[in-house]
Amino acid sequence: MERYFQPEIECAPYEKIREIQSEKLVKQVKHVWDNVPYYRKKMEAKGVTPDDIKSVDDLHKLPFLSKSDLREAYPYGLLGKPLSECVRIHSTSGTTGKRVVAFYTQHDIDLWEDCCARAITAAGGSNEDVCQISYGYGLFTGGAGLDGGSHKVGCLTVPTSSGNTDRQIMFINDLQATILCCTPSYAAYLSERFKELGYKPEDISLKAGIFGAEAWSEEMRHDIENTLGIKAYDIYGLTELSGPGVAFECSAQCGMHINEDHFIAEIIDPDTEEVLPEGEQGELVFTAVDKEAFPMIRYRTRDICKLTREKCSCGRTHVRMAKPMGRSDDMLIIRGVNVFPSQIETVLLNNGYAANYQIVVDRVNNTDTLDVQVEMTPEMFTDNVGEVEERQKKLVEGLKSMLGIKAKVSLLAPKSIARSEGKAVRVIDKRKL
Ligand code: DLL
Protein backbone atom coordinates (compact mmCIF):
# COMPACT_ATOMS: atom_id res chain seq x y z
CA MET A 1 0.00 0.00 0.00
CA GLU A 2 1.31 3.45 -0.89
CA ARG A 3 0.32 6.54 1.06
CA TYR A 4 0.76 10.15 -0.06
CA PHE A 5 2.01 11.46 3.26
CA GLN A 6 4.69 14.12 3.59
CA PRO A 7 5.67 14.10 7.28
CA GLU A 8 8.74 16.28 6.67
CA ILE A 9 6.34 19.12 5.81
CA GLU A 10 3.06 18.10 7.44
CA CYS A 11 4.66 17.26 10.79
CA ALA A 12 7.44 19.87 10.74
CA PRO A 13 8.06 21.84 13.95
CA TYR A 14 6.42 25.26 14.08
CA GLU A 15 9.77 27.10 13.73
CA LYS A 16 10.49 25.22 10.52
CA ILE A 17 7.04 26.09 9.12
CA ARG A 18 7.59 29.79 9.95
CA GLU A 19 10.95 29.64 8.21
CA ILE A 20 9.40 28.16 5.05
CA GLN A 21 6.59 30.72 5.16
CA SER A 22 8.94 33.67 5.66
CA GLU A 23 11.16 32.66 2.79
CA LYS A 24 8.22 32.18 0.43
CA LEU A 25 6.45 35.35 1.58
CA VAL A 26 9.44 37.56 0.80
CA LYS A 27 9.59 36.11 -2.73
CA GLN A 28 5.83 36.30 -3.24
CA VAL A 29 5.62 39.97 -2.24
CA LYS A 30 8.38 40.78 -4.72
CA HIS A 31 6.59 38.76 -7.43
CA VAL A 32 3.37 40.68 -6.84
CA TRP A 33 5.11 44.08 -6.66
CA ASP A 34 6.78 43.40 -9.99
CA ASN A 35 3.84 41.79 -11.79
CA VAL A 36 0.51 42.93 -10.35
CA PRO A 37 0.19 46.73 -10.71
CA TYR A 38 -3.20 46.65 -8.94
CA TYR A 39 -1.68 45.28 -5.72
CA ARG A 40 1.48 47.37 -6.07
CA LYS A 41 -0.73 50.49 -6.01
CA LYS A 42 -2.35 49.25 -2.82
CA MET A 43 1.08 48.72 -1.27
CA GLU A 44 2.21 52.18 -2.36
CA ALA A 45 -0.93 53.71 -0.87
CA LYS A 46 -0.02 52.07 2.45
CA GLY A 47 3.61 53.13 2.13
CA VAL A 48 5.00 49.57 2.03
CA THR A 49 7.64 48.23 -0.34
CA PRO A 50 9.00 44.67 -0.68
CA ASP A 51 12.04 45.77 1.38
CA ASP A 52 9.76 46.15 4.40
CA ILE A 53 8.78 42.47 4.29
CA LYS A 54 11.53 40.34 5.79
CA SER A 55 9.51 37.58 7.46
CA VAL A 56 5.99 36.49 8.48
CA ASP A 57 6.26 38.99 11.36
CA ASP A 58 5.90 41.77 8.77
CA LEU A 59 2.74 40.34 7.20
CA HIS A 60 0.51 42.81 9.08
CA LYS A 61 2.14 45.70 7.18
CA LEU A 62 0.61 44.55 3.89
CA PRO A 63 -2.78 45.73 2.61
CA PHE A 64 -5.79 43.42 2.52
CA LEU A 65 -7.48 42.19 -0.61
CA SER A 66 -11.22 41.71 -0.58
CA LYS A 67 -13.99 40.51 -2.82
CA SER A 68 -14.58 44.09 -3.96
CA ASP A 69 -10.96 44.27 -5.18
CA LEU A 70 -11.59 41.11 -7.17
CA ARG A 71 -14.67 42.68 -8.71
CA GLU A 72 -12.84 45.89 -9.50
CA ALA A 73 -9.91 44.10 -11.09
CA TYR A 74 -12.12 41.65 -13.02
CA PRO A 75 -11.19 39.80 -15.13
CA TYR A 76 -7.43 40.17 -15.66
CA GLY A 77 -6.38 42.89 -13.20
CA LEU A 78 -4.86 40.56 -10.59
CA LEU A 79 -3.03 38.25 -12.95
CA GLY A 80 0.52 37.53 -11.81
CA LYS A 81 1.66 35.69 -14.94
CA PRO A 82 1.22 36.29 -18.67
CA LEU A 83 -1.78 34.50 -20.15
CA SER A 84 0.62 32.37 -22.19
CA GLU A 85 1.67 30.70 -18.91
CA CYS A 86 -1.88 30.22 -17.58
CA VAL A 87 -3.55 26.91 -18.36
CA ARG A 88 -6.94 26.97 -16.57
CA ILE A 89 -9.58 29.07 -14.91
CA HIS A 90 -12.22 28.21 -12.34
CA SER A 91 -15.05 30.42 -11.22
CA THR A 92 -17.45 30.74 -8.32
CA SER A 93 -21.14 30.36 -8.47
CA GLY A 94 -21.56 33.81 -6.85
CA THR A 95 -25.11 35.02 -6.82
CA THR A 96 -24.46 38.74 -6.70
CA GLY A 97 -22.19 40.98 -8.73
CA LYS A 98 -19.44 39.69 -10.96
CA ARG A 99 -18.26 36.13 -10.65
CA VAL A 100 -14.79 35.49 -9.30
CA VAL A 101 -12.52 34.11 -12.02
CA ALA A 102 -9.32 32.53 -10.71
CA PHE A 103 -6.34 31.64 -12.92
CA TYR A 104 -3.86 28.78 -12.66
CA THR A 105 -0.46 28.00 -14.13
CA GLN A 106 0.49 24.32 -14.33
CA HIS A 107 2.58 24.89 -11.20
CA ASP A 108 -0.51 26.24 -9.38
CA ILE A 109 -2.52 23.18 -10.39
CA ASP A 110 0.22 20.84 -9.17
CA LEU A 111 0.28 22.55 -5.77
CA TRP A 112 -3.49 22.48 -5.51
CA GLU A 113 -3.67 18.78 -6.35
CA ASP A 114 -0.97 18.18 -3.77
CA CYS A 115 -3.20 19.81 -1.12
CA CYS A 116 -6.16 17.65 -2.16
CA ALA A 117 -3.98 14.52 -2.12
CA ARG A 118 -2.99 15.31 1.47
CA ALA A 119 -6.70 15.63 2.32
CA ILE A 120 -7.56 12.24 0.82
CA THR A 121 -4.60 10.67 2.62
CA ALA A 122 -5.64 12.20 5.94
CA ALA A 123 -9.05 10.57 5.45
CA GLY A 124 -7.27 7.21 5.22
CA GLY A 125 -6.94 7.07 1.43
CA SER A 126 -4.22 5.18 -0.45
CA ASN A 127 -3.59 3.72 -3.90
CA GLU A 128 -5.83 0.80 -2.89
CA ASP A 129 -8.95 2.95 -2.71
CA VAL A 130 -11.74 3.56 -5.19
CA CYS A 131 -12.58 7.24 -4.90
CA GLN A 132 -15.86 8.49 -6.30
CA ILE A 133 -15.92 12.23 -6.99
CA SER A 134 -19.50 13.47 -6.84
CA TYR A 135 -18.63 17.17 -6.61
CA GLY A 136 -19.57 19.09 -9.74
CA TYR A 137 -16.95 19.20 -12.50
CA GLY A 138 -16.63 22.35 -14.58
CA LEU A 139 -16.22 25.92 -13.40
CA PHE A 140 -16.70 24.81 -9.76
CA THR A 141 -13.40 23.76 -8.17
CA GLY A 142 -14.73 20.73 -6.23
CA GLY A 143 -14.65 18.12 -9.00
CA ALA A 144 -11.35 19.10 -10.61
CA GLY A 145 -9.48 19.58 -7.31
CA LEU A 146 -10.37 16.25 -5.73
CA ASP A 147 -10.01 14.47 -9.05
CA GLY A 148 -6.41 15.70 -9.30
CA GLY A 149 -5.76 14.80 -5.66
CA SER A 150 -7.20 11.33 -6.13
CA HIS A 151 -4.88 10.72 -9.10
CA LYS A 152 -1.88 11.83 -7.05
CA VAL A 153 -2.80 9.42 -4.25
CA GLY A 154 -3.17 6.70 -6.85
CA CYS A 155 -6.81 5.87 -6.11
CA LEU A 156 -8.98 4.45 -8.84
CA THR A 157 -10.85 7.68 -9.59
CA VAL A 158 -14.54 7.55 -10.51
CA PRO A 159 -15.47 10.98 -11.93
CA THR A 160 -19.27 10.81 -11.67
CA SER A 161 -19.67 14.56 -11.00
CA SER A 162 -22.86 15.54 -9.16
CA GLY A 163 -26.44 14.51 -9.91
CA ASN A 164 -28.18 11.37 -11.15
CA THR A 165 -28.38 9.89 -7.68
CA ASP A 166 -29.35 6.34 -8.59
CA ARG A 167 -26.43 6.15 -11.01
CA GLN A 168 -24.13 7.35 -8.19
CA ILE A 169 -25.38 4.49 -6.04
CA MET A 170 -24.92 2.00 -8.87
CA PHE A 171 -21.27 3.03 -9.29
CA ILE A 172 -20.61 2.92 -5.55
CA ASN A 173 -22.01 -0.61 -5.41
CA ASP A 174 -20.65 -2.03 -8.66
CA LEU A 175 -17.13 -0.63 -8.27
CA GLN A 176 -17.14 -1.04 -4.48
CA ALA A 177 -16.15 2.60 -3.96
CA THR A 178 -14.48 3.20 -0.61
CA ILE A 179 -14.21 7.03 -0.57
CA LEU A 180 -16.97 9.46 -1.51
CA CYS A 181 -16.28 13.14 -2.20
CA CYS A 182 -19.24 15.55 -2.44
CA THR A 183 -20.97 18.37 -0.58
CA PRO A 184 -22.42 17.39 2.82
CA SER A 185 -25.92 18.19 1.62
CA TYR A 186 -25.48 15.84 -1.32
CA ALA A 187 -24.04 13.20 1.02
CA ALA A 188 -27.21 13.56 3.14
CA TYR A 189 -29.33 13.10 0.03
CA LEU A 190 -27.36 10.00 -1.02
CA SER A 191 -27.73 8.63 2.53
CA GLU A 192 -31.47 9.15 2.36
CA ARG A 193 -31.66 7.34 -0.99
CA PHE A 194 -29.56 4.41 0.26
CA LYS A 195 -31.94 4.10 3.22
CA GLU A 196 -35.02 4.22 1.01
CA LEU A 197 -33.57 1.44 -1.12
CA GLY A 198 -33.26 -0.69 2.01
CA TYR A 199 -29.47 -0.57 2.49
CA LYS A 200 -27.97 -0.92 5.95
CA PRO A 201 -24.60 0.71 6.74
CA GLU A 202 -22.85 -2.67 6.56
CA ASP A 203 -24.16 -3.23 3.00
CA ILE A 204 -22.39 -0.10 1.73
CA SER A 205 -18.77 -0.39 0.56
CA LEU A 206 -17.83 3.20 1.50
CA LYS A 207 -15.48 3.76 4.45
CA ALA A 208 -14.81 7.50 4.27
CA GLY A 209 -16.39 10.67 2.95
CA ILE A 210 -14.67 13.98 2.17
CA PHE A 211 -17.35 16.60 2.45
CA GLY A 212 -17.07 20.38 2.21
CA ALA A 213 -17.80 23.53 0.22
CA GLU A 214 -20.56 24.59 2.62
CA ALA A 215 -21.17 24.87 6.34
CA TRP A 216 -22.43 21.66 8.01
CA SER A 217 -22.99 20.81 11.63
CA GLU A 218 -21.58 18.04 13.83
CA GLU A 219 -25.10 16.64 14.06
CA MET A 220 -25.27 16.33 10.29
CA ARG A 221 -21.89 14.58 10.34
CA HIS A 222 -23.18 11.97 12.79
CA ASP A 223 -26.32 11.34 10.72
CA ILE A 224 -24.33 10.78 7.53
CA GLU A 225 -21.72 8.63 9.31
CA ASN A 226 -24.38 6.43 10.87
CA THR A 227 -26.42 5.95 7.70
CA LEU A 228 -23.51 5.21 5.38
CA GLY A 229 -21.29 3.46 7.95
CA ILE A 230 -18.33 5.76 7.23
CA LYS A 231 -16.13 8.40 8.82
CA ALA A 232 -17.01 11.80 7.39
CA TYR A 233 -14.15 14.29 7.03
CA ASP A 234 -14.50 18.01 6.49
CA ILE A 235 -12.56 19.81 3.76
CA TYR A 236 -12.33 23.56 3.24
CA GLY A 237 -11.22 25.86 0.49
CA LEU A 238 -12.23 28.64 -1.84
CA THR A 239 -11.82 29.39 -5.51
CA GLU A 240 -9.70 32.50 -4.90
CA LEU A 241 -7.08 30.35 -3.14
CA SER A 242 -7.27 27.43 -5.65
CA GLY A 243 -10.29 25.46 -4.38
CA PRO A 244 -10.74 22.53 -1.96
CA GLY A 245 -7.75 21.46 0.11
CA VAL A 246 -6.73 24.74 1.71
CA ALA A 247 -7.52 22.85 4.93
CA PHE A 248 -8.67 19.32 5.71
CA GLU A 249 -9.58 17.06 8.60
CA CYS A 250 -7.45 14.17 9.81
CA SER A 251 -8.29 11.05 11.85
CA ALA A 252 -8.80 13.21 14.97
CA GLN A 253 -11.80 14.93 13.24
CA CYS A 254 -11.18 17.93 15.40
CA GLY A 255 -10.60 20.95 13.18
CA MET A 256 -8.99 21.18 9.77
CA HIS A 257 -5.22 21.39 9.25
CA ILE A 258 -4.36 24.35 7.03
CA ASN A 259 -1.68 23.56 4.44
CA GLU A 260 0.64 26.08 6.01
CA ASP A 261 3.53 25.61 3.63
CA HIS A 262 1.22 27.12 0.95
CA PHE A 263 -1.16 29.36 2.92
CA ILE A 264 -0.50 31.68 5.86
CA ALA A 265 -3.63 32.12 7.96
CA GLU A 266 -4.60 35.07 10.16
CA ILE A 267 -7.77 35.83 12.11
CA ILE A 268 -8.87 39.46 12.16
CA ASP A 269 -11.64 41.48 13.72
CA PRO A 270 -13.83 42.12 10.64
CA ASP A 271 -14.72 45.63 11.80
CA THR A 272 -11.38 47.01 13.02
CA GLU A 273 -9.17 44.77 10.80
CA GLU A 274 -6.96 44.18 13.82
CA VAL A 275 -5.16 40.79 13.94
CA LEU A 276 -6.54 38.68 16.79
CA PRO A 277 -4.56 36.30 19.01
CA GLU A 278 -4.77 32.53 18.53
CA GLY A 279 -8.02 31.03 19.77
CA GLU A 280 -10.18 34.09 19.20
CA GLN A 281 -13.03 34.02 16.76
CA GLY A 282 -12.94 36.32 13.76
CA GLU A 283 -12.60 36.54 10.00
CA LEU A 284 -10.16 34.22 8.31
CA VAL A 285 -7.55 35.90 6.11
CA PHE A 286 -5.16 33.98 3.86
CA THR A 287 -1.93 34.74 2.09
CA ALA A 288 -1.12 32.26 -0.66
CA VAL A 289 2.68 32.14 -0.78
CA ASP A 290 3.11 29.80 -3.76
CA LYS A 291 0.39 30.74 -6.20
CA GLU A 292 1.78 32.31 -9.37
CA ALA A 293 -1.14 33.20 -11.63
CA PHE A 294 -3.57 34.53 -9.02
CA PRO A 295 -1.43 35.49 -6.04
CA MET A 296 -3.75 36.42 -3.20
CA ILE A 297 -2.12 38.40 -0.38
CA ARG A 298 -4.07 38.91 2.87
CA TYR A 299 -7.29 37.86 1.19
CA ARG A 300 -10.34 38.40 3.40
CA THR A 301 -12.48 35.26 3.11
CA ARG A 302 -15.43 36.56 5.16
CA ASP A 303 -15.52 33.13 6.82
CA ILE A 304 -15.82 33.32 10.58
CA CYS A 305 -13.85 30.81 12.65
CA LYS A 306 -10.98 30.24 15.11
CA LEU A 307 -7.49 28.75 14.85
CA THR A 308 -5.65 26.45 17.23
CA ARG A 309 -2.09 25.17 17.47
CA GLU A 310 -2.90 22.64 20.17
CA LYS A 311 -1.16 19.32 19.57
CA CYS A 312 -3.10 16.97 17.29
CA SER A 313 -3.16 13.21 17.83
CA CYS A 314 -2.51 12.55 14.12
CA GLY A 315 1.00 14.03 14.40
CA ARG A 316 0.44 16.83 11.89
CA THR A 317 1.63 20.17 13.20
CA HIS A 318 -0.10 22.55 10.80
CA VAL A 319 -2.50 24.94 12.49
CA ARG A 320 -6.13 23.82 12.64
CA MET A 321 -9.20 25.90 11.82
CA ALA A 322 -12.55 25.18 13.45
CA LYS A 323 -15.57 24.54 11.27
CA PRO A 324 -16.53 27.95 9.89
CA MET A 325 -19.86 29.04 11.36
CA GLY A 326 -20.77 30.34 7.94
CA ARG A 327 -19.66 33.43 6.08
CA SER A 328 -20.03 36.79 7.71
CA ASP A 329 -22.29 37.64 4.77
CA ASP A 330 -24.46 34.54 5.47
CA MET A 331 -25.17 35.90 8.89
CA LEU A 332 -28.75 37.05 9.19
CA ILE A 333 -29.64 39.99 11.34
CA ILE A 334 -33.15 39.37 12.56
CA ARG A 335 -34.71 41.98 14.80
CA GLY A 336 -31.19 43.11 15.56
CA VAL A 337 -29.97 39.67 16.61
CA ASN A 338 -27.18 37.87 14.71
CA VAL A 339 -28.31 34.46 13.51
CA PHE A 340 -26.23 31.88 11.64
CA PRO A 341 -28.10 29.20 9.66
CA SER A 342 -25.76 26.62 11.23
CA GLN A 343 -27.25 27.38 14.68
CA ILE A 344 -30.72 26.60 13.36
CA GLU A 345 -29.44 23.39 11.77
CA THR A 346 -28.03 22.27 15.12
CA VAL A 347 -31.40 22.68 16.84
CA LEU A 348 -33.24 20.81 14.08
CA LEU A 349 -30.86 17.86 13.99
CA ASN A 350 -30.72 17.63 17.77
CA ASN A 351 -34.48 17.17 17.68
CA GLY A 352 -34.31 14.23 15.29
CA TYR A 353 -34.94 16.01 11.98
CA ALA A 354 -32.74 15.52 8.90
CA ALA A 355 -31.01 18.45 7.19
CA ASN A 356 -33.96 19.11 4.90
CA TYR A 357 -34.94 22.61 5.86
CA GLN A 358 -35.27 26.15 4.63
CA ILE A 359 -35.12 29.45 6.46
CA VAL A 360 -37.46 32.13 5.18
CA VAL A 361 -36.90 35.66 6.40
CA ASP A 362 -39.30 38.48 5.61
CA ARG A 363 -40.34 41.88 6.92
CA VAL A 364 -43.99 42.36 7.84
CA ASN A 365 -45.21 45.69 9.27
CA ASN A 366 -41.59 46.78 9.72
CA THR A 367 -40.77 43.73 11.82
CA ASP A 368 -38.48 40.90 10.70
CA THR A 369 -40.04 37.46 10.61
CA LEU A 370 -38.19 34.16 10.74
CA ASP A 371 -39.92 31.05 9.44
CA VAL A 372 -38.05 27.77 9.84
CA GLN A 373 -39.56 25.20 7.48
CA VAL A 374 -38.42 21.66 8.10
CA GLU A 375 -39.52 18.31 6.76
CA MET A 376 -40.69 15.66 9.16
CA THR A 377 -38.88 12.37 8.67
CA PRO A 378 -41.04 9.48 7.36
CA GLU A 379 -41.02 8.03 10.92
CA MET A 380 -42.41 11.27 12.41
CA PHE A 381 -44.99 11.89 9.73
CA THR A 382 -48.53 11.72 11.13
CA ASP A 383 -51.93 13.36 10.70
CA ASN A 384 -52.40 13.59 14.46
CA VAL A 385 -52.67 17.37 14.86
CA GLY A 386 -51.86 17.30 18.59
CA GLU A 387 -48.63 15.45 17.98
CA VAL A 388 -47.56 17.86 15.23
CA GLU A 389 -48.35 20.86 17.43
CA GLU A 390 -46.33 19.35 20.25
CA ARG A 391 -43.34 18.90 17.89
CA GLN A 392 -43.71 22.47 16.66
CA LYS A 393 -43.77 23.83 20.18
CA LYS A 394 -40.62 21.91 21.08
CA LEU A 395 -38.75 23.37 18.12
CA VAL A 396 -39.93 26.91 18.82
CA GLU A 397 -38.55 26.54 22.35
CA GLY A 398 -35.27 25.01 21.16
CA LEU A 399 -34.76 27.82 18.65
CA LYS A 400 -35.60 30.46 21.22
CA SER A 401 -32.97 29.18 23.60
CA MET A 402 -30.32 28.87 20.85
CA LEU A 403 -30.98 32.18 19.09
CA GLY A 404 -32.62 34.32 21.73
CA ILE A 405 -35.49 35.21 19.41
CA LYS A 406 -38.82 33.68 18.53
CA ALA A 407 -39.16 31.85 15.21
CA LYS A 408 -42.19 30.42 13.50
CA VAL A 409 -41.83 26.72 12.75
CA SER A 410 -43.55 25.01 9.83
CA LEU A 411 -43.42 21.22 9.75
CA LEU A 412 -43.65 19.91 6.22
CA ALA A 413 -44.36 16.50 4.73
CA PRO A 414 -41.33 14.35 3.86
CA LYS A 415 -39.78 15.16 0.45
CA SER A 416 -41.41 18.56 0.10
CA ILE A 417 -38.12 20.51 -0.02
CA ALA A 418 -35.97 20.12 -3.16
CA ARG A 419 -32.74 18.15 -2.54
CA SER A 420 -29.38 19.69 -3.40
CA GLU A 421 -26.72 18.07 -5.56
CA GLY A 422 -24.18 20.82 -4.88
CA LYS A 423 -24.25 23.59 -2.30
CA ALA A 424 -27.68 23.72 -0.63
CA VAL A 425 -29.64 26.97 -0.65
CA ARG A 426 -30.93 27.21 2.92
CA VAL A 427 -31.93 30.83 3.26
CA ILE A 428 -34.59 32.77 1.38
CA ASP A 429 -34.37 36.38 2.49
CA LYS A 430 -37.36 38.15 1.04
CA ARG A 431 -36.29 41.43 2.64
CA LYS A 432 -33.66 41.93 -0.04
CA LEU A 433 -35.90 41.04 -2.99
O1 DLL B 1 -16.45 25.66 -2.16
C1 DLL B 1 -14.21 25.00 -2.69
C2 DLL B 1 -14.47 23.64 -2.15
C3 DLL B 1 -14.90 22.63 -2.97
C4 DLL B 1 -14.23 23.37 -0.81
C5 DLL B 1 -15.11 21.36 -2.49
C6 DLL B 1 -14.41 22.10 -0.29
C7 DLL B 1 -14.85 21.10 -1.14
P1 DLL B 1 -16.13 28.33 -3.45
O2 DLL B 1 -17.25 27.87 -4.30
O3 DLL B 1 -15.30 29.47 -3.93
O4 DLL B 1 -15.10 27.17 -3.21
O5 DLL B 1 -16.73 28.69 -2.03
C8 DLL B 1 -15.88 29.03 -0.96
O6 DLL B 1 -17.42 28.04 0.62
O7 DLL B 1 -15.40 30.81 1.57
C9 DLL B 1 -16.75 29.07 2.62
O8 DLL B 1 -17.67 30.11 2.91
C10 DLL B 1 -17.50 27.90 2.03
N1 DLL B 1 -16.86 26.64 2.43
C11 DLL B 1 -15.97 25.91 1.72
N2 DLL B 1 -15.64 24.79 2.42
C12 DLL B 1 -16.32 24.86 3.60
C13 DLL B 1 -16.41 24.02 4.75
C14 DLL B 1 -15.38 25.94 -2.66
N3 DLL B 1 -15.75 22.88 4.84
C15 DLL B 1 -16.68 29.24 0.29
N4 DLL B 1 -17.20 24.43 5.77
C16 DLL B 1 -15.82 29.47 1.49
C17 DLL B 1 -17.89 25.59 5.70
C18 DLL B 1 -17.09 26.04 3.60
N5 DLL B 1 -17.86 26.40 4.64
Side-chain angles (χ1 to χ4, degrees):
M1 181 170 65
E2 284 167 32
R3 293 187 77 230
Y4 192 93
F5 184 40
Q6 302 158 326
E8 64 295 349
I9 296 284
E10 295 184 69
C11 305
Y14 178 54
E15 300 69 43
K16 173 82 189 154
I17 294 168
R18 294 279 290 187
E19 218 175 275
I20 296 173
Q21 288 181 334
S22 291
E23 198 183 302
K24 289 185 176 181
L25 177 68
V26 170
K27 273 200 203 135
Q28 183 72 324
V29 170
K30 182 143 189 354
H31 164 59
V32 170
W33 175 268
D34 291 341
N35 297 294
V36 187
Y38 185 96
Y39 195 75
R40 181 180 178 141
K41 274 201 201 104
K42 288 197 100 165
M43 286 176 65
E44 283 168 344
K46 227 180 161 218
V48 200
T49 71
D51 289 341
D52 297 316
I53 309 301
K54 305 217 158 40
S55 78
V56 181
D57 294 333
D58 299 318
L59 188 60
H60 68 275
K61 296 178 183 163
L62 290 161
F64 290 106
L65 268 176
S66 67
K67 198 101 161 185
S68 60
D69 289 307
L70 266 55
R71 290 209 182 104
E72 208 177 309
Y74 176 89
Y76 290 133
L78 286 162
L79 258 189
K81 282 281 178 183
L83 279 184
S84 56
E85 287 184 44
C86 297
V87 295
R88 173 104 60 87
I89 69 140
H90 280 283
S91 177
T92 59
S93 49
T95 44
T96 51
K98 287 238 162 59
R99 284 175 161 267
V100 169
V101 173
F103 300 83
Y104 304 71
T105 60
Q106 188 55 50
H107 166 263
D108 294 335
I109 288 185
D110 288 342
L111 292 175
W112 175 28
E113 292 180 350
D114 181 56
C115 292
C116 288
R118 287 183 190 171
I120 295 172
T121 306
S126 76
N127 62 331
E128 294 182 356
D129 280 293
V130 177
C131 183
Q132 184 153 320
I133 319 276
S134 312
Y135 284 110
Y137 281 63
L139 288 172
F140 179 54
T141 54
L146 281 140
D147 186 289
S150 174
H151 278 85
K152 273 213 155 72
V153 173
C155 301
L156 174 66
T157 307
V158 185
T160 44
S161 193
S162 58
N164 203 337
T165 304
D166 284 353
R167 191 180 66 185
Q168 301 275 357
I169 290 182
M170 183 200 82
F171 273 115
I172 293 173
N173 285 333
D174 291 357
L175 299 177
Q176 291 286 289
T178 46
I179 301 179
L180 172 68
C181 305
C182 62
T183 59
S185 49
Y186 195 43
Y189 181 17
L190 279 165
S191 308
E192 184 183 27
R193 188 72 189 132
F194 264 116
K195 221 184 201 171
E196 273 172 5
L197 295 171
Y199 285 84
K200 301 209 170 48
E202 57 275 20
D203 306 327
I204 304 169
S205 57
L206 295 171
K207 63 173 194 196
I210 303 178
F211 306 138
E214 61 185 355
W216 55 308
S217 59
E218 280 303 322
E219 293 74 16
M220 191 162 163
R221 185 206 306 260
H222 295 143
D223 277 3
I224 298 171
E225 287 188 329
N226 293 337
T227 314
L228 295 178
I230 60 171
K231 271 187 97 167
Y233 298 87
D234 203 351
I235 181 166
Y236 169 89
L238 52 159
T239 311
E240 296 87 319
L241 295 175
S242 61
V246 171
F248 59 83
E249 257 181 355
C250 60
S251 53
Q253 289 180 304
C254 186
M256 295 179 267
H257 291 283
I258 294 171
N259 278 307
E260 282 195 285
D261 49 331
H262 302 310
F263 304 103
I264 307 176
E266 298 169 278
I267 293 281
I268 63 161
D269 177 322
D271 299 322
T272 63
E273 298 192 334
E274 179 200 346
V275 179
L276 299 176
E278 189 198 310
E280 282 199 28
Q281 179 162 296
E283 179 179 347
L284 194 50
V285 171
F286 280 111
T287 298
V289 284
D290 283 310
K291 263 156 57 70
E292 298 178 334
F294 203 56
M296 295 284 102
I297 293 190
R298 299 198 90 196
Y299 182 63
R300 293 186 58 166
T301 62
R302 298 195 273 189
D303 291 324
I304 304 292
C305 81
K306 311 181 197 183
L307 300 178
T308 177
R309 284 204 177 270
E310 268 171 35
K311 201 164 177 244
C312 183
S313 59
C314 78
R316 289 177 182 80
T317 46
H318 290 193
V319 72
R320 276 172 293 155
M321 58 182 273
K323 260 185 185 306
M325 289 194 67
R327 303 180 77 114
S328 52
D329 42 2
D330 279 348
M331 190 182 75
L332 296 161
I333 303 184
I334 297 169
R335 285 171 247 140
V337 176
N338 298 349
V339 172
F340 279 100
S342 56
Q343 295 174 298
I344 295 178
E345 180 174 302
T346 298
V347 174
L348 298 178
L349 273 71
N350 275 337
N351 280 280
Y353 296 82
N356 298 315
Y357 67 93
Q358 233 161 21
I359 300 165
V360 182
V361 185
D362 204 348
R363 184 162 288 156
V364 181
N365 299 331
N366 293 321
T367 305
D368 297 330
T369 58
L370 170 63
D371 183 8
V372 178
Q373 308 182 339
V374 59
E375 281 181 17
M376 286 182 274
T377 61
E379 300 79 50
M380 292 174 185
F381 194 47
T382 167
D383 47 15
N384 179 333
V385 179
E387 219 175 282
V388 172
E389 278 175 0
E390 199 45 47
R391 286 199 159 277
Q392 250 163 344
K393 200 170 142 227
K394 204 161 164 237
L395 276 187
V396 170
E397 280 164 11
L399 289 166
K400 175 94 205 298
S401 82
M402 171 67 93
L403 311 173
I405 55 167
K406 189 153 188 254
K408 180 180 161 217
V409 168
S410 310
L411 294 182
L412 310 180
K415 296 261 167 125
S416 42
I417 293 177
R419 300 292 183 264
S420 151
E421 295 169 353
K423 300 194 193 217
V425 178
R426 306 282 192 201
V427 179
I428 302 168
D429 194 340
K430 296 187 174 164
R431 297 175 301 182
K432 289 182 199 147
L433 299 178

